Amino acid sequence: MLPEHADVVIVGGGSCGCVLAARLSDDPARTVLLLEEGAAFGSPSAVPREIRDVATLPVGPESPWVTHYPGRLTAAVDATVTRGRVLGGSGAVNGAYFVRARPEDFRHWPAAWSYAEVLPSFREIENDIDFTGELHGESGPIPVGRVARERMHPVSRAFTDAADTAGFVPVADLNAPGPEGVGPVPLNVRGGVRTSPLLAHLLPVLHRPNLTVGGGTRVDRIVVSNGRAVGVEITGADGPRRISSGRVIVSAGAVQSPRLLMLSGIGPVGELRRLGIEPVLDLPGVGHGYSDHPEALIPYRFRPEVPAHSVLLEVALHTENLELRPYTTAFGSVIPGSGVADPVLGVVLTRPRSRGRIVFDERDPAAAPLLDYRYLTDPADREALDEGVRLAADLLAGMDDVVEAGSVEVGRSRLGTSLHLSGTCRMGDDDRAVVDEWCGVRGIEGLNIVDTSVFPRVPSRGPHATAVMLAHRVALLGDAL
Ligand SMILES: Cc1cc2nc3c(=O)[nH]c(=O)nc-3n(C[C@H](O)[C@H](O)[C@H](O)COP(=O)(O)OP(=O)(O)OC[C@H]3O[C@@H](n4cnc5c(N)ncnc54)[C@H](O)[C@@H]3O)c2cc1C
């Protein structure tokens, strides 16, 4: 039974929503209501096997745990873009690669988010199994570990050796600042279980009387009165209703957070009018100028004796603007129904310049929007990605222990996305910024956005660890939000 009122309503029980709900309900005097559109679970044992098991990515066409959006990567390449829609969100279904943003990434953030300021939160969220010392936490909820070389898949070892031979620096800890190079990826996995904020933060505190989680509950609109967010309109099992609150925190993810703002009349005023939505506040940056990582996938075949494996990615190579990912398994084996039969080597552009926008349907603004990535519109991006593909082909040529002779098909590489969407409601103090440095929506009291939408730009690594850090740090503000 959902309450009529909560001190804080959190919209979206994904990676950030789970962290916020757990931390804000640490104070028994504060009532917290977490609303999640997808299914919810009342205990760890109720979480389905495919969400726990890191050997599966339950994001295929039949998955009940995700939403698929239409995406246009370039004028010539379309894609289906997946986001989690389940308690735990995208973090509950992701690749479990838990790597921090680099110190230089935070130069694009407001000063309150310098690397020195965020490091304590990166430490507090983790329990690093391999490293201790001033860079690492030992008692946080998220276990972070790396696969030891002797347990690695032959592809991971062969790739590391090829990168070594090509002169790249070995890096034991990719979560430490320092030179770029090749090394084992940090994973939020314990005993084969994808240990996301759902399992690590939220489920252990579900018994709290001041915390309510409403699964199967969609927030349709934020209610704003006299410049202040005062509640939400929802559709749940009992139909539509309104819940009042002292504060609304939107953590609906990088697609749905800007969409919910738009449906609530907060966004570019011309666009709102065109969509037939009564404007509440003109914020031109909503849904505009986002970034994500373009990823070229080079198909090849394993030699017949190479075994199948369970952790999709064990090592990565970083250069100034690229990440090379030797996936250990064909996507078709871990993503039911994905249809990708060959193994691939991923070439990721980590600091893209091109920016995308979310396009709403003029006939039905409540329908799934189109994600218009505009990848590679900046010629420098295309050049850098092409260079990355050449580097990858060279490395694959040195991996003949595992790669079947003649099977690397650079010409059949296809452009994809790493699903690291960021910056659809970005943080800052310029005209296009949507939230201030503490994630408050500019121009509206009592309303925050806390998820990867607010990243000023996509970090040069996977965003998950940085998203968890963001939510952890914002929650420290508590009533001062
Ligand atoms: C398949 C996949 C693999 C990935 N792999 C990696 C990886 O290995 N490493 C990495 O760093 N990053 C990875 N990512 C990205 C990373 O998981 C996400 O960036 C991160 O989890 C986003 O967290 P979030 O809190 O911003 O949003 P989400 O976790 O997406 O949470 C948003 C939640 O809000 C809910 N919601 C939306 N609208 C409403 C509404 N109106 N009412 C109520 N609820 C609503 C959604 O159902 C969802 O549960 C991956 C992403 C995907 C999709």
Side-chain angles (χ1 to χ4, degrees):
M1 191 57 182
L2 299 182
E4 302 278 315
H5 176 88
D7 296 333
V8 181
V9 166
I10 301 166
V11 181
S15 300
C16 292
C18 287
V19 175
L20 287 164
R23 292 209 55 97
L24 290 172
S25 65
D26 281 341
D27 178 353
R30 185 187 295 122
T31 54
V32 176
L33 173 61
L34 176 66
L35 299 171
E36 166 55 43
E37 181 174 11
F41 316 106
S43 69
S45 60
V47 177
R49 185 200 56 79
E50 70 263 31
I51 287 183
R52 298 167 60 85
D53 180 8
V54 74
T56 309
L57 252 73
V59 300
E62 305 295 324
S63 171
W65 317 119
V66 296
T67 305
H68 298 290
Y69 296 96
R72 189 162 57 207
L73 302 185
T74 67
V77 182
D78 289 338
T80 298
V81 181
T82 306
R83 311 298 304 170
R85 192 193 52 197
V86 60
L87 197 61
S90 301
V93 296
N94 77 6
Y97 174 19
F98 201 76
V99 64
R100 299 174 183 176
R102 303 276 295 171
E104 52 273 27
D105 289 319
F106 292 102
R107 294 198 192 123
H108 305 287
W109 292 54
W113 296 86
S114 68
Y115 187 69
E117 297 283 354
V118 302
L119 183 58
S121 287
F122 271 131
R123 293 184 47 169
E124 282 170 40
I125 60 175
E126 73 171 13
N127 173 6
D128 195 302
I129 293 154
D130 304 314
F131 293 97
T132 54
E134 60 187 23
L135 289 177
H136 286 293
E138 291 167 44
S139 54
I142 305 251
V144 178
R146 299 142 191 87
V147 179
R149 180 173 167 100
E150 57 278 12
R151 287 193 293 115
M152 276 181 190
H153 187 267
V155 161
S156 308
R157 282 201 295 261
F159 178 82
T160 308
D161 294 345
D164 255 3
T165 308
F168 291 100
V169 179
V171 179
D173 180 10
L174 292 179
N175 272 343
E180 309 276 16
V182 63
V185 299
L187 298 163
N188 56 306
V189 177
R190 181 187 283 148
V193 174
R194 180 188 290 109
T195 311
S196 71
L198 166 68
L199 288 166
H201 287 83
L202 186 70
L203 293 183
V205 302
L206 264 192
H207 57 277
R208 289 178 176 165
N210 61 326
L211 171 64
T212 308
V213 175
T217 307
R218 190 186 66 223
V219 174
D220 298 317
R221 205 170 72 88
I222 302 153
V223 184
V224 177
S225 172
N226 297 322
R228 184 173 186 93
V230 294
V232 290
E233 287 176 1
I234 64 162
T235 304
D238 305 327
R241 55 175 280 209
R242 186 178 277 206
I243 295 176
S244 69
S245 66
R247 175 167 299 280
V248 176
I249 304 182
V250 179
S251 297
V255 180
Q256 291 293 337
S257 288
R259 176 173 173 270
L260 185 58
L261 257 61
M262 292 290 285
L263 294 177
S264 308
I266 303 165
V269 77
E271 217 171 304
L272 288 167
R273 291 219 167 92
R274 236 184 355 266
L275 294 166
I277 300 170
E278 184 61 33
V280 170
L281 179 70
D282 182 18
L283 278 182
V286 173
H288 287 257
Y290 73 70
S291 46
D292 196 337
H293 293 138
E295 181 167 358
L297 298 167
I298 306 176
Y300 65 100
R301 283 190 306 281
F302 291 162
R303 289 169 68 108
E305 64 275 19
V306 173
H309 201 58
S310 61
V311 178
L312 188 58
L313 185 66
E314 297 174 331
V315 298
L317 166 66
H318 294 120
T319 69
E320 195 195 334
N321 57 359
L322 296 168
E323 176 174 86
L324 267 59
R325 304 172 152 199
Y327 293 109
T328 61
T329 313
F331 286 171
S333 317
V334 283
I335 306 176
S338 83
V340 182
D342 286 333
V344 288
L345 195 142
V347 180
V348 177
L349 197 57
T350 51
R351 295 188 168 93
R353 297 183 184 194
S354 309
R355 295 289 179 266
R357 66 187 177 129
I358 299 185
V359 183
F360 294 89
D361 185 338
E362 306 229 341
R363 292 151 309 169
D364 179 8
L370 170 78
L371 304 176
D372 184 12
Y373 279 79
R374 301 200 261 199
Y375 272 164
L376 313 183
T377 43
D378 189 309
D381 284 355
R382 187 172 285 280
E383 238 172 73
L385 197 61
D386 287 348
E387 195 183 304
V389 169
R390 284 194 292 274
L391 169 62
D394 287 348
L395 294 178
L396 282 165
M399 291 166 58
D400 45 10
D401 279 4
V402 291
V403 175
E404 193 166 290
S407 72
V408 178
E409 294 192 64
V410 173
R412 270 212 306 132
S413 305
R414 60 184 176 83
L415 181 67
T417 172
S418 298
L419 301 171
H420 293 164
L421 206 66
S422 301
T424 50
C425 296
R426 68 177 175 74
M427 194 189 271
D429 57 8
D430 58 292
D431 290 351
R432 312 288 288 187
V434 175
V435 298
D436 63 25
E437 64 180 353
W438 293 113
C439 300
V441 173
R442 297 169 75 216
I444 299 203
E445 293 295 309
L447 181 62
N448 300 84
I449 305 174
V450 181
D451 58 26
T452 65
S453 330
V454 304
F455 289 180
R457 57 175 69 179
V458 68
S460 60
R461 301 290 184 268
H464 197 210
T466 306
V468 175
M469 176 282 291
L470 172 93
H472 172 93
R473 193 150 184 260
V474 172
L476 292 177
L477 295 174
D479 288 333
L481 260 175

